[in-house]
Amino acid sequence: MANRPLALIVDTHRLFREAFATLLQSGCGFGSVLETGSLDEALQMLDERKDIAFAAFDLATPGVGNPLSLRSVREVYPDLRLAALAAALRRDDIFLALRAGLHGYVPKTFEPAEIVRAVTQMMGGDVFVPPELVALPLAAEAVGEPGSERRNAQPFRLTPRQLDVLHLIRSGLSNKEIAKSLGLTENTVKVHANALYRALGVRDRSGAMKWAETS
């Protein structure tokens, strides 16, 4: 058991988490599975448990929204195998997941054997894309054009946590000070800050401060 990998499931539906956890343990070889319905709690788990090898985030989890928002998780935890979970197959979301550097996009409508196959493929070092992709309609705005990342984040709105971080950045606090103020880990703040910069279309905290001053 000690040598078997650890997984994390982030989903607001407890019954799905439990069923998915059972699949990961019985079909994919994971020793244990952590579960949470909170983005911040998930980030804290990733910070505290360096042995988490695989994490699956439901896109409906508050604070996530679309696959591009998970790119910050990939940046802060580069060794993590990371998948997006979604209630339905959407061609544009699948492309966004690939743009974000995720290792897979798994529809929650999949049969158990399909989920096991998808996770096994990701853990084997490959990227999993649903085979139904070729039959799905393309969204009105083509994904992948220069500058389309910002458009596909529509509607433009920051999450409550991103607004908290932006307010404290504007106050001149460092990531360490923001973490202490919000009761988060420093890496969790870094994930939120990176996602914030991307949402605002700026490169760093200086850009975020300028955006806040002119908005």
Side-chain angles (χ1 to χ4, degrees):
M1 180 73 72
N3 295 325
R4 299 173 68 189
L6 176 66
L8 169 65
I9 302 171
V10 187
D11 192 295
T12 56
H13 295 90
R14 181 176 59 84
L15 290 179
F16 178 81
R17 293 201 310 262
E18 292 177 353
F20 194 15
T22 298
L23 281 178
L24 292 179
Q25 291 179 289
S26 64
C28 303
F30 287 94
S32 58
V33 180
L34 301 176
E35 303 175 26
T36 180
S38 162
L39 176 59
D40 279 349
E41 187 173 328
L43 296 175
Q44 183 166 344
M45 289 177 178
L46 288 172
D47 212 34
E48 295 174 348
R49 298 296 302 267
K50 306 300 183 183
D51 53 340
I52 296 176
F54 172 80
F57 285 75
D58 179 20
L59 298 180
T61 302
V64 178
N66 76 45
L68 278 177
S69 62
L70 295 176
R71 180 183 289 180
S72 298
V73 179
R74 285 282 294 124
E75 293 168 344
V76 176
Y77 305 99
D79 296 328
L80 180 71
R81 306 301 291 180
L82 182 62
L85 297 172
L89 274 166
R90 294 187 60 219
R91 185 184 180 96
D92 51 339
D93 274 352
I94 295 173
F95 283 132
L96 287 174
L98 296 177
R99 285 172 61 88
L102 306 190
H103 301 100
Y105 178 100
V106 182
K108 296 167 74 171
T109 54
F110 265 12
E111 294 294 327
E114 294 176 297
I115 292 177
V116 168
R117 186 161 53 249
V119 174
T120 300
Q121 182 173 323
M122 285 183 273
M123 291 304 295
D126 296 325
V127 172
F128 175 79
V129 176
E132 296 88 347
L133 172 63
V134 294
L136 295 175
L138 186 63
E141 289 188 355
V143 177
E145 297 176 357
S148 66
E149 178 176 317
R150 180 70 173 75
R151 291 196 306 272
N152 282 284
Q154 304 272 337
F156 172 57
R157 61 177 179 272
L158 301 179
T159 67
R161 184 60 82 196
Q162 288 170 354
L163 287 170
D164 290 340
V165 172
L166 177 60
H167 173 73
L168 294 175
I169 285 177
R170 189 179 183 183
S171 299
L173 273 63
S174 66
N175 282 355
K176 185 175 183 178
E177 292 169 328
I178 293 173
K180 183 176 181 180
S181 176
L182 297 178
L184 305 173
T185 67
E186 195 168 346
N187 271 342
T188 296
V189 171
K190 188 183 298 184
V191 169
H192 286 305
N194 288 351
L196 167 68
Y197 304 153
R198 187 166 292 113
L200 298 181
V202 301
R203 293 184 177 276
D204 51 29
R205 63 192 300 117
S206 296
M209 292 178 71
K210 290 179 182 177
W211 184 94
E213 291 169 359
T214 58
S215 298

